[in-house]
């Protein structure tokens, strides 16, 4: 039974979303931890604040999620000791990609979104797959509810085509409160149909003033 | 208190709750030999902690975190400890309760369970747990869950221990049995209409 490799992973479910704005980023994730058809706990945070302008949301296998977050926090501390400054969001983005690819042949089963402010104070969102392939985007969602949410974000945030010759910025012109409302709406929708998403929504807003946290109740069924 | 060996109920006196240091209780389900190995790991941890002799002692949060790392790292080496562990305790007035699975999945909550308990006991606890329950209420709730599990889990036997940990210390009860009721009409004469079967 232990000879097959499928026992090393399990999917603990959950959904993450991030939206970048002109001078803010919203990162959100639900707080449900599931296994199979059971719920372990309704109050488990999938978000980790790595630096004061850099927030990581992960979903997938919780053991790997926590190990990855601990790893990154520790590496950030070492960076601060060596470089005498906090890691910027683009720097952390590259580092996360390298960390994930390092375990290319025994991956971290995590689907990550990194959100924060870049060196110019503009909102940035980086989206990853399990082995470190990443891209800077204007918005993203990962996890079990990702496929339900992405089309709605595409429609509401009208992402410009990457093929346009005068390259257009992907960050949304929406205001911070409009973006937060959109996030609440998409999570309410995903909760209706995705069994792994629900209970509570944790929203983190990163802007020039710092990091703010909000909790919203979602359906518990 | 049962220790199964496949489908044989081999051991009927397995103590699956142990106290760790002054502040923590650990309960395990799964492979008993791996639990004994975990107790050896924790012995070493507690002894080294005591040797510092600095007045500090490992609390339940620390034990839970340590066990999470142990389970996760063994899973990374493809050599897991086949256990689901419940870690609980009180330190400096703060109570703590958490669970760790065999691949390192862990969480903290007001009530936890392993295995079948997740399906049968957690719903009962979600309905009836509330802040500031008395010890008697809590035992009643736990016994309700244990009874359901006794009726419905094939590998359960009617022999339990309940452990309590407070700031003052640990008490692990003597093994005892719950009162069961089997007098349902459908259970009377179970071979009626099919004599010779069981």
């Amino acid at each position: 039974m232990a000879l097959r490799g499928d026992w090393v992973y399990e999917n603990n479910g959950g959904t993450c979303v991030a939206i970048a704005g002109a001078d803010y980023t919203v990162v959100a994730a639900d707080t449900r931890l599931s296994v199979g058809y059971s719920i372990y706990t309704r109050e488990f945070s999938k978000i980790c604040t790595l630096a004061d302008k850099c927030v990581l949301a992960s979903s997938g296998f919780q053991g790997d999620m926590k190990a990855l977050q601990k790893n990154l926090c520790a590496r950030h501390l070492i960076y601060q000791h060596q470089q005498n400054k906090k890691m910027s969001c683009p720097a952390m983005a590259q580092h996360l990609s390298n960390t994930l690819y390092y375990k290319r042949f025994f991956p971290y089963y995590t689907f990550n979104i990194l959100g924060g402010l870049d060196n110019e104070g503009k909102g940035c969102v980086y989206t990853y797959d399990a082995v470190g392939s990443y891209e800077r985007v204007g918005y993203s969602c990962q996890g079990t509810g990702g496929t339900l949410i992405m089309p709605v974000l595409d429609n509401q945030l009208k992402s410009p085509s990457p093929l346009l010759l005068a390259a257009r910025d992907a960050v949304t012109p929406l205001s911070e409160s409009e973006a937060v409302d959109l996030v609440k709406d998409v999570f309410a929708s995903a909760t209706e149909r995705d069994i792994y998403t629900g209970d509570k929504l944790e929203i983190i807003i990163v802007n020039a003033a710092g990091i703010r946290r909000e909790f919203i109740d979602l359906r518990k069924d | 208190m049962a220790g199964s060996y496949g489908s044989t109920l081999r051991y009927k006196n397995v103590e699956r709750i142990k106290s760790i240091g002054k502040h923590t209780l650990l309960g395990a389900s799964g492979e008993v030999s791996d639990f004994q190995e975990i107790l050896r790991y924790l012995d070493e941890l507690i002894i080294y902690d005591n040797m510092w002799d600095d007045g500090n002692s490992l609390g339940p949060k620390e034990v839970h975190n340590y066990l999470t790392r142990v389970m996760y790292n063994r899973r990374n080496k493809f050599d897991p400890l086949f256990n689901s562990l419940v870690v609980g305790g009180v330190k400096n007035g703060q109570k703590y309760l958490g669970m760790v699975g065999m691949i390192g999945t862990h969480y903290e909550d007001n009530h936890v369970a392993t295995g079948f308990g997740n399906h049968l006991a957690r719903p009962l606890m979600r309905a009836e747990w509330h802040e500031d329950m008395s010890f008697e209420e809590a035992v009643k709730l736990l016994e309700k869950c244990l009874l359901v599990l006794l009726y419905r889990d094939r590998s359960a036997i009617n022999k339990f221990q309940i452990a309590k940990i407070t700031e003052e210390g640990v008490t692990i009860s003597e093994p005892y049995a719950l009162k069961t009721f089997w007098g349902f009409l459908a259970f009377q004469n179970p071979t009626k209409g099919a004599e010779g079967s069981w």
Side-chain angles (χ1 to χ4, degrees):
Chain A
M1 180 202 75
L3 290 174
R4 290 168 59 212
D6 55 6
W7 57 269
V8 277
Y9 292 114
E10 73 188 8
N11 191 354
N12 297 115
T15 309
C16 317
V17 167
I19 301 180
D23 60 351
Y24 67 87
T25 299
V26 179
V27 180
D30 68 325
T31 63
R32 173 178 284 181
L33 186 73
S34 346
V35 70
Y37 285 116
S38 296
I39 299 178
Y40 271 155
T41 184
R42 298 192 194 276
E43 289 177 55
F44 178 79
S45 172
K46 300 184 177 64
I47 304 188
C48 174
T49 42
L50 293 172
D52 57 355
K53 300 275 183 286
C54 192
V55 170
L56 173 67
S58 325
S59 69
F61 167 44
Q62 189 243 22
D64 277 343
M65 237 163 80
K66 279 297 172 189
L68 181 66
Q69 287 173 355
K70 272 196 171 199
N71 216 325
L72 291 176
C73 279
R75 285 292 293 125
H76 184 227
L77 201 54
I78 295 172
Y79 181 93
Q80 284 181 80
H81 287 150
Q82 291 176 340
Q83 310 291 338
N84 197 23
K85 63 175 179 180
K86 297 228 163 56
M87 255 173 125
S88 66
C89 202
M92 185 57 90
Q94 181 66 54
H95 184 62
L96 173 55
S97 171
N98 293 342
T99 307
L100 291 169
Y101 196 79
Y102 204 73
K103 293 225 320 147
R104 170 65 178 79
F105 299 109
F106 182 18
Y108 286 111
Y109 189 77
T110 54
F111 301 99
N112 305 289
I113 308 184
L114 194 72
L117 300 177
D118 66 10
N119 294 315
E120 291 141 27
K122 268 180 27 192
C124 63
V125 169
Y126 294 90
T127 187
Y128 295 79
D129 72 354
V131 285
S133 152
Y134 82 114
E135 186 188 7
R136 179 171 177 176
V137 286
Y139 58 88
S140 179
C141 56
Q142 295 277 6
T144 48
T147 46
L148 294 165
I149 293 179
M150 202 56 164
V152 179
L153 291 180
D154 283 334
N155 175 264
Q156 292 298 306
L157 298 173
K158 295 193 182 44
S159 173
S161 166
L163 303 171
L164 288 174
L165 197 48
R168 286 237 310 270
D169 217 351
V171 299
T172 176
L174 285 181
S175 76
E176 191 182 296
S177 53
E178 285 175 323
V180 171
D181 282 342
L182 177 60
V183 163
K184 293 179 187 175
D185 281 340
V186 293
F187 262 97
S189 309
T191 303
E192 295 286 322
R193 290 287 180 175
D194 178 25
I195 60 172
Y196 296 109
T197 304
D199 293 330
K200 254 204 307 221
L201 173 61
E202 182 182 7
I203 308 182
I204 305 248
I205 301 125
V206 189
N207 53 25
I211 296 185
R212 202 175 85 236
R213 192 185 301 251
E214 267 183 53
F215 284 97
I216 312 289
D217 273 345
L218 295 172
R219 282 183 68 152
K220 299 187 179 335
D221 63 358
Chain B
M1 293 202 72
S4 304
Y5 189 74
S7 55
T8 303
L9 221 177
R10 189 157 174 204
Y11 302 106
K12 297 199 187 179
N13 202 19
V14 182
E15 289 191 2
R16 298 203 267 114
I17 306 180
K18 292 290 179 193
S19 76
I20 313 292
K22 291 186 285 191
H23 304 284
T24 319
L25 276 176
L26 175 65
S29 78
E31 174 63 53
V32 177
S33 61
D34 281 346
F35 178 49
Q36 290 165 349
E37 170 117 344
I38 287 171
L39 292 175
R40 290 174 73 85
Y41 277 135
L42 288 169
D43 264 346
E44 195 178 323
L45 186 75
I46 297 288
I47 286 171
Y48 274 105
D49 184 50
N50 283 343
M51 290 202 322
W52 288 108
D53 200 18
D54 58 0
N56 198 18
S57 50
L58 289 174
K61 277 194 216 224
E62 290 83 54
V63 172
H64 185 214
N65 189 54
Y66 174 76
L67 288 173
T68 306
R69 290 296 114 227
V70 168
M71 304 302 270
Y72 181 72
N73 280 298
R74 289 289 295 253
R75 162 259 185 204
N76 282 349
K77 296 194 286 198
F78 286 91
D79 179 21
L81 293 161
F82 261 79
N83 292 112
S84 289
L85 305 167
V86 168
V87 184
V90 187
K91 187 173 171 200
N92 296 335
Q94 277 208 318
K95 53 186 178 171
Y96 184 87
L97 182 61
M99 194 221 71
V100 190
M102 83 177 213
I103 46 175
T105 311
H106 60 284
Y107 67 96
E108 173 201 339
D109 207 338
N110 295 311
H111 41 79
V112 300
T114 62
F116 257 106
N118 278 306
H119 296 103
L120 298 173
R122 288 305 290 288
L124 291 170
M125 295 196 277
R126 280 200 184 104
E128 294 180 31
W129 184 90
H130 54 91
E131 196 67 58
D132 297 321
M133 280 177 94
S134 71
F135 177 63
E136 289 69 32
E137 283 181 298
V139 171
K140 230 171 118 208
L141 176 55
L142 268 183
E143 288 187 342
K144 191 170 173 181
C145 296
L146 290 174
L147 195 57
V148 172
L149 287 163
L150 176 60
Y151 283 133
R152 289 291 176 181
D153 183 358
R154 245 179 15 163
S155 56
I157 56 168
N158 197 357
K159 193 172 176 189
F160 304 101
Q161 285 181 304
I162 285 206
K164 173 182 181 181
I165 180 163
T166 60
E167 199 72 57
E168 284 80 49
V170 173
T171 24
I172 304 183
S173 75
E174 283 303 298
Y176 71 102
L178 292 173
K179 201 152 162 296
T180 56
F181 177 71
W182 298 97
F184 295 102
L185 221 53
F187 294 163
Q188 315 294 15
N189 197 8
T191 60
K192 179 169 171 185
E195 299 304 323
S197 65
W198 62 97

